[in-house]
Structure formats: structure tokens, C-alpha cells
Amino acid sequence: MEKGEMAMKIEDGNNGSYSFPGYNPNSYPFSSVFDFSEVEKSSLGFMEILGMQDFNPLLDFPQELSSMVVGSPAPKDPTDQGSVKKNCVDEVLNYQQQQPATPNSSSISLASSEGGINDEQTKTTANQQVEDDEQQQNTKKHLKPKKTNQKKQREPRIAFMTKSKVDHLEDGYRWRKYGQKAVKNSSFPRSYYRCTSAPCNVKKLIERSFNDPSIVVTTYEGQHTHPSPLVMPRRTNLAGVSGGAISARCATTFASSIPRNLYQYQHAYHQQQPFDLNNTNTLSSLNFHYNHNGSSSISRMSNSAFLHFNQGTTFLSDHGLLQDIVPSQMLKEEQH
DNA sequence: CGACTTTGACCAGCGC
DNA sequence: GCGCTGGTCAAAGTCG
């Protein structure tokens, strides 16, 4: 496992998803996981290091680079950046609409991914009465009936693989663990977290790689509907995490905010020179993978979009974002 | 005492 | 229909 690398995955909300190519607990293929062990030693959180303070994932996602994350195919005409843009956006939209990719699809609503939830919330009074009765009857079972005729629709998911000693990485949001399950073919359990903010429906799953326990796979589902409280963990077992680990928000925002932070970085370190998102040199510096096979993955993923930062890419050598993230010592080791 | 974790049980979806 | 698995619930326990 190389240091200074990060892997990421995007999944749609309807079992159609975008996995890490070939991800499988039994055959872990990645040599690309961001190593946060150094970051964790820092007093700064990952978001602070990245300069992501108030970034709304997905919504703020630059269209040009959203395609990079999702893995849009190359345009027929490389000079037609407009079509590139459209294709890329369309693909993102298709994912979020949880529909089969159609080249010309263009409408989207983030709320659409919550349709199932809304439907569930708009039960008829009669149904509610029935359910209340059932609840009373099932007092001992203490479980709410969740029957719906509609297939449960899921929020889009984004997964990250991070090399970290701690499972739950601090990201500025507050999470409450609500479950833990043993994972098949893995000796490590999967933990389920939910954002503690009342109206916020964001969840995240945390599990460790079967082959490399040092790698934490964090999957985010949904979008925060509130600003980051930026609170420190109360518990001592999270204190180590707060020592600068990344996490939830990191991962939540990282996928969609990489381009933005590239932009910010360029501004900060390159004398405010505009960062040309269409600059092919810059784009080519990202080793991008798009796997339509998705033979194996987390949570029944069929397709995959995978953003992969490699060491030694022009991205890094050009003092890109990763250099800002990866400790200089690590980079020195790279050069040797 | 509030916030959070742990844990076993339950439910729903899926494949066979 | 059955069994497996992922996901969720909520009581009990823990911690500051």
C-alpha cells in the first residue's frame, strides 16, 4: 500500500452504484488509499487542512470536474467542451435519478432521491391508525412497522477508502452510532452512523478492509441539510480521532469538493492564477478509472466511478492538492 | 443528566 | 417458501 493515495467511490441510490473497481473484501485490489496516519497526528482536521469549511457536497460540485468523479466517457470531439460538460453532467444526473444512463437525460432533482422517504412520510391517516394499532400490539417488539409498497429508494452514496488507524474519522459533523453488523467474508464489523442533527438524514457506514485492516471504507449516504457544527468529540475514544482525522465530512465533501479545492489551491498557491478546469494537462494528471463491470463491490454495486490519486502524478508533482495534504516528509520519501 | 455506544432482535430485500 | 444478509431499532450500559 502506497502512502499518499486515496480511493473513492460513488454509488447511486437504487442499488445501481459505482464501486471501487473490483472491490472485494476477499480480493482487495487497491493500492490507492489515502494515508491519513500522518494527518491524524496533526492538530488540524482534514477538512481544515483541505480548507473545506463550508462546502455543500453535490450542490457545489463544479460541473466540469464532477464528470471526473463520476467517470464520464471521453467526448467524441475533444474540442467540444460544451458537450463534454453536458455529457458529464448528464451522467451525474442519471446517477442521481437512479435511472439507466440515457445520453440525453438532463433533468434532475436532488430531492427526487428522497422520493421514497417522502412517500413513506405521507402515509394516509388510515394507514397511520393501523400502524399505531400495530405499534401498540408490538410494544414488546419495539419495532416500528416500516411497510411500504414502494421499493425503498436510497440516497446517492459516496464511499471512500482511507488508510487510518481509527474507524470513525472526525469530519466536523456529529454522528450517532445506531448499529453494528458483522460483515460477511470479513472479520471486521461494519458500523452504522447517523447524523445527530434532527432534520438531517445523512448516514454513513464504516468498515475495514478485509485484507488490509489499516484501510477504512467509509460510505456516505445523503446530504447534510445543515452546516457543520464543527464540534469536538465528547468521548475519549474519539479524541484520538479528533486529533486531525478526516472523516465523515471529509469523505462526504471530499469527493465532490476535490475540484473546488483544486481551484482553491491554485488560487492560494499560484498567485491567484485561475485554475482552468478544462485544462487537459491538469485533468490528465488524475488517474481516472471508470469500470462498467463492477463485478464485485460494496453493497451490491454494479457500476463504478473511481477517482484515483496516484503519487508522482503531475497533479502531485505540480504541487497540487495532495501535496497540501500529504506531509512533506512523505513526499521526500517519494523522491528517494 | 444528556449524549453516545453497545448489542441482540427484528424487518425487508434478494437469490435460490 | 426459505435462508441469508444488510440495515435498523431501542433498551441498557457507559462516559464526562
Side-chain angles (χ1 to χ4, degrees), chain A residues 6-10 18-21 32 69 158-161 251 254-256 258 305-308:
Chain A
M6 179 193 74
M8 178 178 75
K9 173 200 66 188
I10 296 177
Y18 325 105
S19 66
F20 300 108
S32 55
V69 175
I158 298 175
F160 287 82
M161 304 182 76
F254 199 58
S256 50
I258 285 171
F306 175 56
L307 185 58
H308 179 183

Side-chain angles (χ1 to χ4, degrees), chain A residues 147-213:
Chain A
K147 263 296 197 195
T148 68
N149 291 332
Q150 276 205 333
K151 196 174 181 178
K152 183 182 179 181
Q153 289 194 335
R154 280 186 163 173
E155 299 277 347
R157 286 184 169 186
I158 298 175
F160 287 82
M161 304 182 76
T162 59
K163 192 170 184 177
S164 173
K165 297 171 186 173
V166 294
D167 291 336
H168 192 190
L169 303 167
E170 180 56 38
D171 61 355
Y173 286 97
R174 297 176 65 177
W175 301 90
R176 171 169 296 176
K177 189 176 184 177
Y178 66 89
Q180 178 172 305
K181 290 282 289 189
V183 181
K184 188 184 179 183
N185 296 328
S186 175
S187 54
F188 301 97
R190 175 184 300 138
S191 298
Y192 299 87
Y193 293 87
R194 181 178 292 147
C195 184
T196 58
S197 295
C200 187
N201 209 25
V202 177
K203 299 170 190 172
K204 74 173 178 180
L205 284 62
I206 297 176
E207 61 187 309
R208 287 196 172 271
S209 167
F210 176 72
N211 280 358
D212 189 346

Side-chain angles (χ1 to χ4, degrees), chain A residues 5 12-13 15 18-19 22 34 41 60-61 63 106 108 114 124 134 155-156 165 177 214 223 225 231 238 258:
Chain A
E5 297 182 354
D12 76 3
N15 288 343
Y18 325 105
S19 66
F34 190 86
K41 297 173 185 175
D60 288 354
F61 200 92
Q63 293 179 343
S106 61
I108 181 169
E114 299 175 355
T124 64
E134 289 176 352
E155 299 277 347
K165 297 171 186 173
K177 189 176 184 177
S214 66
Q223 283 185 280
T225 59
V231 295
L238 290 178
I258 285 171

Side-chain angles (χ1 to χ4, degrees), chain A residues 22 24 41 43 55 91 113 116 145 175 184 275 297 309 311 318:
Chain A
N24 189 314
K41 297 173 185 175
S43 60
F55 182 69
E91 193 151 350
S113 61
W175 301 90
K184 188 184 179 183
F275 177 51
S297 62
F309 288 86
Q311 289 181 328
D318 194 29

Side-chain angles (χ1 to χ4, degrees), chain A residues 75-84:
Chain A
K76 293 175 182 177
D77 181 2
T79 62
D80 185 1
Q81 294 181 348
S83 68
V84 175

